[in-house]
Amino acid sequence: MRILVVEDEPKVAAFLKQGLEESGYAVISAHDGPQGRDLALHEAPDLVMLDVVMPGMNGVEVCRAIRQGGGRMPILMLTALGTTDDKVLGLDAGADDYLVKPFEFKELLARVRSLTRRGQQEADSEPPLEYHGLLLDTQRKEAVRGGQRIPLTAKEFALLEFLLRNPGKVLSRALISERVWDIRFDTGTNVVDSYIKFLRKKVDRDFEPKLIHTRVGLGYILTAEP
């Protein structure tokens, strides 16, 4: 289970990361508001742990941006701003829970367990991703187009899911490599191009309209437009 920790104070971020990893969670870190927003929307973690006072965008703005961008994962706000008005502001922006600093780490873990259980229940009822007749059931791990089931490997499925969660957006090879393979892009490898080719054979070759397109020098885009 992956948790995104958005915290600009290095010592606090390191404390949270260490404690969560020792408790069995994988941790993704962001150190300002815009980076936290982008990682939440592109990585789709199981939970976002969000500080309020941060550079670039404050936590309330980040929370609102995540929700407006379609992010449905639980959001736990951590802040020293503990007035009722502060809490209401965060909850109105789309946060699921609010924990005031300083706090006991065992209480933080209890909140995390509660929110991730709730988030998993909601994820289990998530409808299939769909774009112009291409359906991807993230629960059954099945892809269907034109009533025909399309067999995919695990990486092909992850790549197609990433495309379907970002329709109409040009996705660079570097971004795809980072999000799907969790590696920094090496200009000497063609792994992204190879897997796009595999997907096209399965998803586009026998169907219309073609959905996976190349933007020369930029990357790839999922669109029904030629």
Side-chain angles (χ1 to χ4, degrees):
M1 186 165 291
R2 298 186 306 157
I3 296 177
L4 170 61
V5 174
V6 189
E7 169 64 63
D8 67 312
E9 290 290 338
K11 291 183 179 179
V12 176
F15 166 75
L16 292 172
K17 178 178 173 65
Q18 179 179 349
L20 290 168
E21 288 180 341
E22 289 177 352
S23 301
Y25 297 99
V27 177
I28 310 166
S29 298
H31 306 293
D32 60 41
Q35 184 186 26
R37 172 202 59 201
D38 293 344
L39 284 174
L41 293 175
H42 289 304
E43 292 282 358
D46 298 290
L47 181 140
V48 175
M49 199 171 289
L50 183 60
D51 190 22
V52 171
V53 180
M54 291 185 297
M57 298 172 67
N58 66 45
V60 173
E61 293 170 333
V62 173
C63 183
R64 188 175 294 115
I66 292 171
R67 295 307 188 211
Q68 290 174 346
R72 300 176 57 194
M73 74 288 292
I75 297 177
L76 172 61
M77 303 194 81
L78 305 177
T79 181
L81 306 175
T83 70
T84 299
D85 287 344
D86 292 322
K87 294 179 182 179
V88 169
L89 189 61
L91 295 172
D92 282 348
D96 296 276
D97 202 354
Y98 204 105
L99 190 57
V100 178
K101 300 175 182 177
F103 49 80
E104 292 285 342
F105 194 77
K106 61 183 180 181
E107 180 182 0
L108 173 68
L109 288 178
R111 303 286 185 102
V112 168
R113 288 192 294 269
S114 175
L115 289 172
T116 51
R117 280 197 301 267
R118 188 190 315 168
Q120 186 58 52
Q121 291 169 355
E122 293 175 355
D124 288 342
S125 63
E126 180 183 16
L129 300 171
E130 191 274 336
Y131 187 79
H132 283 267
L134 172 62
L135 285 85
L136 195 71
D137 190 324
T138 58
Q139 302 306 309
R140 296 184 178 182
K141 303 299 181 184
E142 290 182 350
V144 177
R145 189 171 185 189
Q148 180 179 334
R149 186 176 179 275
I150 302 170
L152 299 173
T153 67
K155 280 302 179 186
E156 289 169 350
F157 188 95
L159 175 56
L160 184 57
E161 180 178 358
F162 186 52
L163 292 170
L164 279 165
R165 290 190 184 278
N166 296 276
K169 298 179 182 178
V170 177
L171 305 173
S172 69
R173 289 172 178 82
L175 181 61
I176 293 171
S177 177
E178 186 177 330
R179 300 293 188 253
V180 177
W181 277 267
D182 196 26
I183 58 174
R184 293 195 177 277
F185 188 64
D186 177 2
T187 54
T189 183
N190 63 350
V191 64
V192 174
D193 306 288
S194 296
Y195 272 82
I196 288 289
K197 184 178 180 180
F198 299 154
L199 269 188
R200 280 178 169 152
K201 287 183 178 180
K202 295 182 177 183
V203 171
D204 271 349
R205 184 174 62 183
D206 299 326
F207 303 95
E208 293 292 340
K210 307 304 181 190
L211 297 179
I212 303 173
H213 299 272
T214 303
R215 292 291 182 260
V216 179
L218 299 174
Y220 297 100
I221 183 171
L222 185 76
T223 178
E225 298 296 325

